[in-house]
Amino acid sequence: LMAVIAGLKRIGLFDWLTYQLLRRIRSGRILSVTLVLLPFFSSMFVTNDVALIIFIPFTLMLLEQLGCRSSIIPVTVFQTIAANLGSMATPVGNPQNLFLYATYNLSAGEFFAVTLPLTLVSLVCLAAAALPVLPKELPALQLEETVTFSLRSVLGIKSIKYAGIKV
């Protein structure tokens, strides 16, 4: 799986995701919360470990490129918590859920009736715990037609320029 992530990074997928994310998000707080919620929701469909293996390297690359080394630890800690909390929502989110789902012959409705309320409460608690701790300011970005780094031609994007302006 790590080889696949390295391959995705090499073909420019993380650069493309960075471009898409930063094109839509201008606030440091919203960017931080988005980075935390990505593993929360993706861990519902893949295991929490896989969600972290995908999004931690992406977050490290993104925050490094933005010059936000001090934000790496709080964001990745909350990503780890978020992946574990989000994975409880579905039978495939973590191995324990799959075991319970199969062993007790639960229907999808029975399973979700138990897990979804807990997941929603966890999401609210995660937000309440994360918002005061996550960085409020990250450098703002300018998406321009300059050559700061080249994306692969397959992705159809030429370049992104980062500006170190505080929001």
Side-chain angles (χ1 to χ4, degrees), residues 43 46-48 84 87-99:
S43 68
V46 297
T47 64
N48 51 1
N84 282 290
S87 71
M88 80 170 126
T90 63
V92 296
N94 64 48
Q96 298 87 341
N97 285 3
L98 192 54
F99 173 78

Side-chain angles (χ1 to χ4, degrees), residues 3 67 161:
K161 180 180 179 184

Side-chain angles (χ1 to χ4, degrees), residues 23-39:
R23 198 177 82 187
R24 291 172 173 80
I25 296 175
R26 302 288 181 189
S27 163
R29 177 60 54 94
I30 293 172
L31 178 61
S32 298
V33 170
T34 301
L35 289 172
V36 170
L37 292 180
L38 283 169

Side-chain angles (χ1 to χ4, degrees), residues 22-125:
L22 299 178
R23 198 177 82 187
R24 291 172 173 80
I25 296 175
R26 302 288 181 189
S27 163
R29 177 60 54 94
I30 293 172
L31 178 61
S32 298
V33 170
T34 301
L35 289 172
V36 170
L37 292 180
L38 283 169
F40 180 85
F41 289 108
S42 67
S43 68
M44 294 177 186
F45 306 104
V46 297
T47 64
N48 51 1
D49 299 337
V50 173
L52 290 173
I53 289 172
I54 293 169
F55 287 108
I56 294 291
F58 172 68
T59 299
L60 294 175
M61 182 195 79
L62 174 64
L63 294 177
E64 281 285 333
Q65 286 180 351
L66 291 174
C68 298
R69 291 185 61 89
S70 63
S71 300
I72 289 174
I73 291 175
V75 171
T76 56
V77 165
F78 277 104
Q79 281 184 315
T80 304
I81 295 167
N84 282 290
L85 292 175
S87 71
M88 80 170 126
T90 63
V92 296
N94 64 48
Q96 298 87 341
N97 285 3
L98 192 54
F99 173 78
L100 293 171
Y101 185 74
T103 302
Y104 293 101
N105 294 319
L106 298 172
S107 69
E110 293 170 323
F111 185 84
F112 291 124
V114 172
T115 60
L116 289 183
L118 294 172
T119 304
L120 290 173
V121 169
S122 296
L123 179 60
V124 169
C125 291

